[in-house]
Amino acid sequence: MTLPDTAATPAGDDRTFQVDLRGLVDLLSHHLYSSPRVYLRELLQNAVDALTARHALEPGASTDAFGIRLYADGSVVRVEDDGVGLTEADVHTFLATIGRSSKRAEKIAEQRGDFIGQFGIGLLSCFLVADEIHVLSRSARTPDAAAVEWRGRGDGSYTVRTLPASARPRPGTTVTLTPRADAGDWTRPVQVQALARHFGSLLRHPVTFTDGTGGTPAPVNPEPAPWAVTYPTPGSRSRALAAYGEDVLGFKPLDTIELDLPAVGLKGIACVLPETVPAGRRHGHRVHVKGMLLSEQAEEILPEWAFFVRCVVDAESLRPTASRESLYEDDTLAAVRDALAERLRDWIARAAASDPDLLARFLQVHHLAVKSLAVHDDEILRMLLPWLPFETTDGHATLDEFARTHRTVLVTSSVEEFRQVAAIASAAGLGVVNGGYTYDRELVHRLPEIRPEASVADLDPATLTAHLDPVDRETELAAAAYLAQARDALAVFDCDVALRAFQPASAPALLVDSREARHERTRSQLAREQEGGVWGDILGALRQEAPRAQLILNQLNPLVRTAVTITEPELARTSAEALYGQAAMLSRRPLRPAESSLINRSFLDLLAHALRKDS
């Protein structure tokens, strides 16, 4: 769009905006449409809308009475329909004017719910592949209407001529494009046919394609949507829907959920993915509006937690955006999203109630999706929480199985804490669930809502150490000197050292150190370093008594029994550092630089001691 030079224009004179059509087409191609291929969708859409208007004009005609015919031979692309057609006034209103309404346009806008198009700029998309658009149309509203020819060019000029009715014997419209040389990838016959099938496979009017070789016109949409077909048995219907989902989406679904929302004229299927997908990774869904493919990547039609399905739907009442490549976010879409979410919940409920094998296969693959839903959906929580798998000290098990074995279910706050204590807690007979994964800790704490006899508590270091056997007083006194040396060596890590007896005996030491304790120690250290400054005052105000880590040595381990008898101070310190480093590595938490340095140093010191002893 360009503005006239106002330098020589008297103040107050009104001027009209001018439209630079080439600039507008460039804007469409780079910012509105995702690809030049949409030109064929826009032509099909205009043809379908024209047929819809024709049926409104002649309501007694069957759906198959009027159709759409595509032709492409490499030199031209032509789309012909038997729709309502255009008068000369229509041509000036709808083809030659961008963004201006008329009384008739406003009247048609009131009926737009029956049409796919909403924005009146679709024909401009043809300039993405052609420099000239030729339209020949004859209106069905008047029996003896003349034919009208319109030629639009990419430079913004056009011509309109009225021709005898014989120029087009039947009402309808023919749009012919002469492709540019650089648009061959989108206008070759094989590509035009493929695009027609891609966009128009579910259109309700017959569409055919001819490539100019003299063959029989090939149907573009030979079969209706599978959900619109009557099948002899529920099983055959289910198999047909699954086969369609596999053909369109490219995977064999774990199950197929039929979708039907009569209030908005939506029908379709949701295909359950057969493989696990990352949490929160939303798949695009294939959405048709009145049979025309709108988008293959419409994420917004389902809630975020429903990432375990992909949908193919056809709707009557959803509004497309201006590019007609996504859905307009409005109250209708929000209601559809909620209703489809309810259909998915119903499917899970049916599987839980009547098909345990299907439920088991589903949960094995998509338990994380169900966990994310159960956090916010009490019904799903009550129904499925006992059957959801968790990582426990008994291996992967459902909460129902685990709660039968362990009256008190302990849950850790992080993965690393679980890995620190899993082997020892299992040997001590404690039932611990890994609560470090997304949703798990929150869900485990809600188990008593479903199983009132179960008890759930957080696992803390005190709980664990209380289940480790104390050593006798004589053994404790004999190891006192070594333990003092060890505490002094590990004081830099705010780590205490204790001697206990626990299984398995192969574990020499256990490092009990929660993430919260490490954070508190880090904050205390920063407060000490910043003492006197503004940040020091702030951190000091937040300071609590810093909890200490605890290295628990296992008296049942032969190496530990030997270590506590060491009397040489340096060797005692080095052995304590080595035991700390080994326990820190077994905890699988990230090592601090000082800990990595300690592990290397203690290994080399022990190696040097062994070599000196041998020599």
Side-chain angles (χ1 to χ4, degrees), residues 183-194:
D185 288 344
W186 304 110
T187 57
R188 286 181 288 110
V190 64
Q191 180 71 302
V192 172
Q193 186 177 20

Side-chain angles (χ1 to χ4, degrees), residues 86-88 91 135-137 146-150 160-163:
L86 300 170
T87 64
E88 182 177 358
V91 166
V135 178
L136 182 63
S137 187
V148 183
E149 178 191 65
W150 179 87
V160 179
R161 290 195 305 161
T162 300
L163 303 176

Side-chain angles (χ1 to χ4, degrees), residues 90 93-94 100-110:
D90 293 336
T93 299
F94 299 119
R100 189 182 71 190
S101 64
S102 65
K103 289 184 178 179
R104 179 159 177 211
E106 292 166 0
K107 180 180 179 181
I108 288 179
E110 296 173 1

Side-chain angles (χ1 to χ4, degrees), residues 92-93 103 124 127 141 196 212 244 324 406 411 433 462-463 487 509 530 535 538 583 591 607 610:
H92 285 287
T93 299
K103 289 184 178 179
L124 290 179
F127 285 120
R141 300 181 186 279
Y244 176 78
R324 287 185 287 281
H406 303 279
V411 58
V433 177
T463 302
R487 292 184 185 109
Q530 300 285 341
W535 285 111
I538 294 174
L591 296 176
L607 180 60

Side-chain angles (χ1 to χ4, degrees), residues 10 57 72 85 168 192 221 236-237 285 324 331 349 469 472 486 493 505 527 531 548 599 611:
L57 188 65
R168 182 180 171 89
V192 172
N221 53 343
S236 60
R237 182 179 183 85
H285 305 287
R324 287 185 287 281
D331 291 343
D469 295 331
D472 60 71
F493 299 115
E531 190 169 358
R548 305 190 74 192
I599 291 170
L611 292 174

Side-chain angles (χ1 to χ4, degrees), residues 522-591:
T522 300
R523 186 167 58 191
S524 297
Q525 181 179 354
L526 287 173
R528 289 193 297 270
E529 293 173 355
Q530 300 285 341
E531 190 169 358
V534 175
W535 285 111
D537 293 340
I538 294 174
L539 292 170
L542 297 174
R543 186 184 304 167
Q544 303 173 10
E545 183 179 350
R548 305 190 74 192
Q550 192 171 38
L551 180 68
I552 304 175
L553 304 181
N554 187 2
Q555 175 64 19
L556 301 181
N557 182 267
L559 178 63
V560 171
R561 287 202 300 271
T562 301
V564 297
T565 64
I566 297 173
T567 57
E568 183 182 340
E570 286 302 318
L571 182 58
R573 292 177 63 89
T574 300
S575 65
E577 290 172 345
L579 288 169
Y580 175 90
Q582 190 258 1
M585 288 191 294
L586 287 179
S587 71
R588 302 186 188 180
R589 63 168 171 78
L591 296 176

